[in-house]
Amino acid sequence: MGDAGGQGTFWLPTPLVFCRSIRPMLLLTRTPEAWHRLSQLKATALPGILGGKALHVRCRLWSRQGSAETGRQGQPQGPGLQTRLLITALFGAGLGGAWLALRAEKEQWRLQRRTEALRQASVGQGDFSLTDHRGQARCKADFQGQWVLMYFGFTHCPDICPDELEKLVQVVQQLEAEPGLPPVQPIFITVDPERDDVTAMARYVQDFHPRLLGLTGSAEQVAQASRSYRVYYSAGPKDEDQDYIVDHSIAIYLLSPDGLFTDYYGRARSAKQIADSVRGHMAAFRSVLH
């Protein structure tokens, strides 16, 4: 392009410089990689008319700042790992505690329902009048305020009664080993009053536990106590030696400190299972007499 005075023709570099310099600027608005490409431009590519050296330095500085910001944006936001682990642990502990509390409450509710159902069956509601193996008269009121495990059997029983009494004693010993639990009174009531007098009962109970109390009485007294707890028994025929077996119900009965029948355990229940059940009844017990 020439001037009007007809002087020598020359080209204005300004439009070219503008075009070459505006493109890197436009790249700045697109992607973070553009900062890196712009920083590689040499100062000679930008004519001195626009301060190429200064622009080059400025572009390099902007490139570093852009990379740092990009790196920070890529880092995970929010709480640190330890904080998240702590929150997770506390949340898990809270759920576990709530589950255990709900389970304990459900077990207490189940035991209360079972106790009420057994009481409605009128088991163990009546009193009894018997004699212990020391010759002292006993009635059910004597054991009020104590937990009682009671078994009906006879001293001439060949195997079942000794096994069940041994299991009852194991339950008592397991509960005795826990100082925080109240004592449990073990009782053995005969269903064979003809042969199991006071002397026979005293000799028999000493082989099991020092606190095992043997109770006997007349045929009428034993029948009354057995009916109260729905215990079936029947003496079989005598052999040539006048010996006989008594067929009877096999169960261990649990009485609460109120003197009320609370639960029973058949032969299939182990000593540990019975002890766990008694422990649960103790925890759920609420007196109905006070």
Side-chain angles (χ1 to χ4, degrees), residues 78-96:
L81 178 60
Q82 291 183 349
T83 303
R84 293 198 299 272
L85 290 176
L86 179 60
I87 293 174
T88 302
L90 292 175
F91 183 72
L95 286 180

Side-chain angles (χ1 to χ4, degrees), residues 40 47 81 201 208:
Q40 303 304 317
L81 178 60
M201 293 293 282
F208 294 95

Side-chain angles (χ1 to χ4, degrees), residues 109-212:
W109 178 82
R110 186 191 68 81
L111 291 175
Q112 290 173 355
R113 286 288 301 273
R114 177 177 172 83
T115 301
E116 290 301 324
L118 292 174
R119 287 174 183 172
Q120 290 176 6
S122 298
V123 177
Q125 301 299 316
D127 199 357
F128 58 77
S129 179
L130 298 169
T131 304
D132 68 19
H133 65 272
R134 301 184 185 94
Q136 182 178 351
R138 295 282 189 166
C139 63
K140 191 171 72 171
D142 294 335
F143 306 101
Q144 187 170 328
Q146 304 177 61
W147 289 92
V148 173
L149 282 173
M150 186 167 55
Y151 179 77
F152 290 80
F154 63 109
T155 63
H156 286 73
C157 181
D159 47 20
I160 295 178
C161 291
D163 290 344
E164 290 300 293
L165 281 175
E166 185 62 35
K167 182 167 64 176
L168 186 152
V169 167
Q170 290 177 9
V171 174
V172 173
Q173 291 173 341
Q174 289 181 30
L175 297 174
E176 284 177 337
E178 302 182 35
L181 296 181
V184 177
Q185 174 62 54
I187 294 179
F188 171 56
I189 299 180
T190 184
V191 291
D192 185 16
E194 182 179 342
R195 293 178 293 184
D196 292 342
D197 57 12
V198 171
T199 303
M201 293 293 282
R203 184 172 56 248
Y204 188 73
V205 298
Q206 68 181 359
D207 294 333
F208 294 95
H209 193 280
R211 293 196 299 108
L212 178 61

Side-chain angles (χ1 to χ4, degrees), residues 243-264:
D243 193 15
Y244 57 92
I245 296 295
V246 179
D247 186 23
H248 62 90
S249 305
I250 303 172
I252 296 174
Y253 295 84
L254 175 66
L255 277 62
S256 74
D258 287 344
L260 299 177
F261 169 63
T262 302
D263 212 337
Y264 72 97

Side-chain angles (χ1 to χ4, degrees), residues 58-116:
R58 199 174 294 119
C59 289
R60 186 177 294 274
L61 179 59
W62 290 343
S63 176
R64 291 174 183 173
Q65 292 176 347
S67 299
E69 292 176 358
T70 303
R72 285 195 298 268
Q73 291 175 358
Q75 293 178 356
Q77 302 297 317
L81 178 60
Q82 291 183 349
T83 303
R84 293 198 299 272
L85 290 176
L86 179 60
I87 293 174
T88 302
L90 292 175
F91 183 72
L95 286 180
W99 180 81
L100 290 175
L102 182 61
R103 181 181 179 184
E105 183 179 351
K106 182 179 179 180
E107 180 64 17
Q108 288 188 2
W109 178 82
R110 186 191 68 81
L111 291 175
Q112 290 173 355
R113 286 288 301 273
R114 177 177 172 83
T115 301
E116 290 301 324

